[in-house]
Structures are given as C-alpha cells and as structure tokens.
C-alpha cells in the first residue's frame, strides 16, 4: 500500500519533472543538449547543498568536471553553476577552495563558464571572497547577487570595479527584515535599480528573472546601453517567452538542475506561484 508521504512525493515528482532534468548526470546532459538545439545556452547545477560528507562532495566535484568535459567535447555553449556549500564550505573554507580549484582548472582547459550560486546571507561574504580569489585566475567566472539584500548595491559596485561578471536574481532565501527588502514591490524596485547599474557599468552579465516587467525593462535598457548580457531562466519556466527573446537576438540560458535532491528545489518553485500550488492540489485530488 502507498503511504501518504509516498503519494505526496510521487505527485510532487510528477510536477517537479518540468523544472528538473532528472536524477542523473546523463539526464542533465540530455537536457543541456536539447536546450542547445533549441537555441538556448545551458547552465547546469547539481541539486544539493550543505554537504558535509567528503564522499558526497567528491561525487559532486567529479560530476561538475564530467559536465564541463562533455560541453567541450560536444561544443555546447554551456556553463555549470556551483553552490559553495555543496563543495565543502560547510566543512571549511580550505576544503571548499581545494574543490573549487579543481573545477576552475578543468573549466579553464575546456573554456567553459562557471557561475557561483549565491546561498543565504550567512554565506555572502565567503562567496564573494571565493569569487575574488578565483576570478583573478579565471575570467570566465560569474557570481549571483540577490536584489532582496540591502547590502547588494555596495557589493555590486565593489565587484564591478574588478570587472566581475554578475548574475542578478531577486533572491530565493528567507532573510531577516533588518538586512533585506521584504515586499515584492521593494525587491523589484531594488532589482531595477541594480539592473540599471549593471547596464551602465557592467558587461557579460545575466538578468535572471521570469518577471515580464523586468525583462521588458532590460530589453529597453539594452537599446540605450548595448552590453553583452543574457537572460537566464529556470528550466521549464516561461518557456513561451524564451523563443521570442531569441528571435529578437537576445541570448537566453536555461538553468538546468538535476539530481536526487529535487524536493526542496521543487517546493521553492511551487511556493513561488499560486498557480503551482493549485496544480499540486488538483494533482493530489486526481491521484
Ligand atoms: P517573481 O518570483 O517575482 O515572479 C515574477 C513573475 O515571473 C511571476 O508573476 C510569473 O509571471 C513568473 N514566474 C515566476 N516564477 C514562476 C514559476 N515558478 N512558474 C511560472 N511562472 C513564474 N536565487 C538565489 O538566491 N541564488 C541564486 O544563485 C539563484 N540563481 C538563479 C539562477 C537563475 C537562472 C534564476 C532564473 C533564478 C535564480 N535564483 C537564485 C532564484 C531567484 O532568486 C528567484 O527566487 C526566482 O527566480 C523567482 O524570481 P523571479 O525573478 O522569477 O520573480
């Protein structure tokens, strides 16, 4: 007999499949190839964070290396996106640096772009430190910054001084009111403010949002400031908009997560949108 938890997980997986490539590295590579054949670039992320098992960390690092090598072999315009706590930051800074160095050396040989995801605010300083250290060794390295944090404007200005490559996101983590903007209105306002700074002072950046109003504003800014940038969106979200942007000659990247740790990621996506909560409800009723 199927228990309530098993049923819930089965229904969630059915919904989650639109946002994740699957459980394995082969699923991720197939998804990246499909994105590439449809005119999009691929940014692959192995799901999972806060790893403290050295075995799990080594597997994660090896898989990123395999993905980088496959991109090189297949000549796919792709990148990997790494979370510091999945490659050792939850053990020590030294462990994280040692592992990130392996990924960076590999990426440098293969000419593959590497992104650093930004996790919750307790890791912002450490993540920027990692970026600064490795950006001096490898220029095809980018870092995500979150518009919901009040500190981000200063971080952005500092990072742009060294020519950093930025992915601007709204921010996926629940943060204290003292350090963050809480309402959607304030986060959106700050996003637009930071995006203007990026268009004026940055280059090779990513506007990572599914928000139609923000995307329109970015399109307009790009006419005034013709910079090298791309729209980045999660796999399976705003798929109707992506070809339209490509047709207008914008670069669009699909962020493609894979791996067995799909549940927290998918719950985040469900919570983001009322329609997805309704979809979960109706799927449960039908099961
Ligand atoms: P918001 O959530 O305000 O939604 C605006 C509109 O977009 C909605 O009204 C709807 O039209 C559409 N939309 C949004 N979500 C949808 C969904 N699930 N299904 C259908 N439509 C939807 N965060 C972080 O903290 N660190 C990181 O490193 C990253 N990295 C990252 C990479 C990439 C490529 C993306 C796209 C996002 C991230 N994020 C992230 C996540 C980010 O911070 C944020 O939580 C989500 O992108 C949702 O915010 P939006 O900008 O889409 O706007």
């Amino acid at each position: 007999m199927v228990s309530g938890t098993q049923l819930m997980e089965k229904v969630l997986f059915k919904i989650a499949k639109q946002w994740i490539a699957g459980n394995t590295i082969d699923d991720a590579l197939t998804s990246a190839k499909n994105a590439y054949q449809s005119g999009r670039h691929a940014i692959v992320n192995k799901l999972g964070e806060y790893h403290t098992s050295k075995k799990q960390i080594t597997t994660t690092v090896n898989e990123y290396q395999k993905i980088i090598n496959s991109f090189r072999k297949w000549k796919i315009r792709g990148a990997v996106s790494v979370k510091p706590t999945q490659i050792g930051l939850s053990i020590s800074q030294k462990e994280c640096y040692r592992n990130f160095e392996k990924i960076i050396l590999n990426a440098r040989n293969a000419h593959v772009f590497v992104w650093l995801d930004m996790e919750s605010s307790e890791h912002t300083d450490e993540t920027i430190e990692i970026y600064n250290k490795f950006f001096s060794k490898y220029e095809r390295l980018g870092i995500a910054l979150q518009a919901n944090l009040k500190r981000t404007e200063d971080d952005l200005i500092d990072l742009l001084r060294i020519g950093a490559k930025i992915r601007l996101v709204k921010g996926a983590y629940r943060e204290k009111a003292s350090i963050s903007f809480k309402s959607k209105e304030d986060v959106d306002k700050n996003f637009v403010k930071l995006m203007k700074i990026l268009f004026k002072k940055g280059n090779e950046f990513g506007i990572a949002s599914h928000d139609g109003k923000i995307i329109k504003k970015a399109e307009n800014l790009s006419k005034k400031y013709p910079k090298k940038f791309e729209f980045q969106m999660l796999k399976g979200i705003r798929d109707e908009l992506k070809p339209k942007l490509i047709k207008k000659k914008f670069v669009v990247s699909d962020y493609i997560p894979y791996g067995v740790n799909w549940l927290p990621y998918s719950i985040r996506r469900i919570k983001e949108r009322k329609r997805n909560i309704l979809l979960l409800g109706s799927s449960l009723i039908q099961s």
Side-chain angles (χ1 to χ4, degrees):
M1 219 177 68
V2 183
S3 72
T5 318
Q6 282 169 327
L7 174 67
M8 184 69 159
E9 199 165 311
K10 210 172 126 202
V11 170
L12 276 169
F13 188 66
K14 237 164 117 186
I15 297 174
K17 272 203 312 209
Q18 61 186 304
W19 303 310
I20 55 163
N23 284 336
T24 68
I25 185 168
D26 286 337
D27 294 331
L29 290 171
T30 303
S31 205
K33 261 190 193 167
N34 289 342
Y36 193 66
Q37 278 157 7
S38 308
R40 304 187 296 276
H41 296 182
I43 303 173
V44 176
N45 166 257
K46 182 168 163 69
L47 292 164
E49 50 208 336
Y50 297 104
H51 294 332
T52 48
S53 140
K54 286 219 175 161
K55 195 170 162 221
Q56 203 174 20
I57 291 169
T58 306
T59 306
T60 302
V61 173
N62 289 346
E63 289 194 14
Y64 278 128
Q65 290 184 307
K66 261 194 203 162
I67 294 164
I68 289 168
N69 293 340
S70 302
F71 283 168
R72 181 192 203 174
K73 202 162 85 196
W74 299 337
K75 298 192 170 63
I76 284 186
R77 284 287 296 276
V80 291
S81 205
V82 180
K83 284 186 170 46
T85 70
Q86 63 178 185
I87 56 157
L89 194 61
S90 299
I91 297 180
S92 69
Q93 200 181 46
K94 200 170 152 200
E95 181 68 23
C96 178
Y97 278 31
R98 202 172 60 81
N99 288 313
F100 199 50
E101 179 141 44
K102 286 186 197 161
I103 295 173
I104 289 295
L105 288 177
N106 198 197
R108 194 163 65 186
N109 285 337
H111 304 287
V112 167
F113 201 99
V114 179
W115 286 99
L116 268 172
D117 276 4
M118 187 59 82
E119 298 175 82
S120 60
S121 61
E122 63 186 307
H123 299 300
T124 310
D125 281 328
E126 290 164 310
T127 306
I128 292 174
E129 273 173 43
I130 301 171
Y131 186 79
N132 283 330
K133 182 173 162 69
F134 286 93
F135 184 59
S136 58
K137 297 183 185 187
Y138 185 51
E139 273 201 358
R140 305 200 70 207
L141 178 61
I143 181 170
L145 289 182
Q146 299 150 326
N148 66 331
L149 293 186
K150 290 179 182 168
R151 60 174 286 167
T152 296
E153 186 173 350
D154 290 340
D155 291 335
L156 177 63
I157 289 166
D158 281 351
L159 281 159
L160 287 179
R161 274 199 198 105
I162 59 160
K165 282 138 191 162
I166 308 290
R167 170 203 297 156
L168 187 59
V169 301
K170 288 194 185 175
Y173 298 85
R174 193 182 285 269
E175 303 287 356
K176 283 191 240 129
S178 55
I179 59 162
S180 66
F181 299 105
K182 286 310 232 186
S183 70
K184 175 171 160 57
E185 197 189 344
D186 286 344
V187 175
D188 288 0
K189 220 162 96 186
N190 199 41
F191 192 109
V192 172
K193 185 178 182 190
L194 301 172
M195 185 165 75
K196 283 182 181 160
I197 299 176
L198 267 177
F199 272 99
K200 282 184 194 158
K201 299 189 174 160
N203 204 17
E204 291 188 62
F205 50 89
I207 301 300
S209 176
H210 313 103
D211 192 326
K213 281 190 199 141
I214 280 177
I215 291 168
K216 196 78 224 149
K217 280 203 165 76
E219 284 188 50
N220 290 336
L221 281 166
S222 74
K223 287 177 197 145
K224 195 165 170 199
Y225 306 100
K227 295 291 178 77
K228 198 171 167 198
F229 81 103
E230 62 184 38
F231 288 111
Q232 299 180 349
M233 295 185 221
L234 305 180
K235 173 180 157 49
I237 300 184
R238 302 296 321 255
D239 281 351
E240 84 299 343
L241 176 66
K242 292 168 186 172
K244 290 182 190 153
L245 290 169
I246 294 167
K247 216 169 157 197
K248 291 188 203 168
K249 305 273 181 261
F250 291 109
V251 176
V252 176
S253 284
D254 253 358
Y255 184 99
I256 302 172
Y258 78 98
V260 291
N261 284 311
W262 54 269
L263 195 57
Y265 178 85
S266 307
I267 288 173
R268 245 178 252 157
R269 301 288 80 79
I270 288 170
K271 281 187 185 162
E272 252 162 31
R273 209 169 180 226
K274 213 191 285 166
R275 200 183 297 169
N276 291 334
I277 298 171
L278 296 177
L279 178 65
L280 173 63
S282 66
S283 304
L284 276 169
I285 292 164
Q286 282 162 28
S287 302

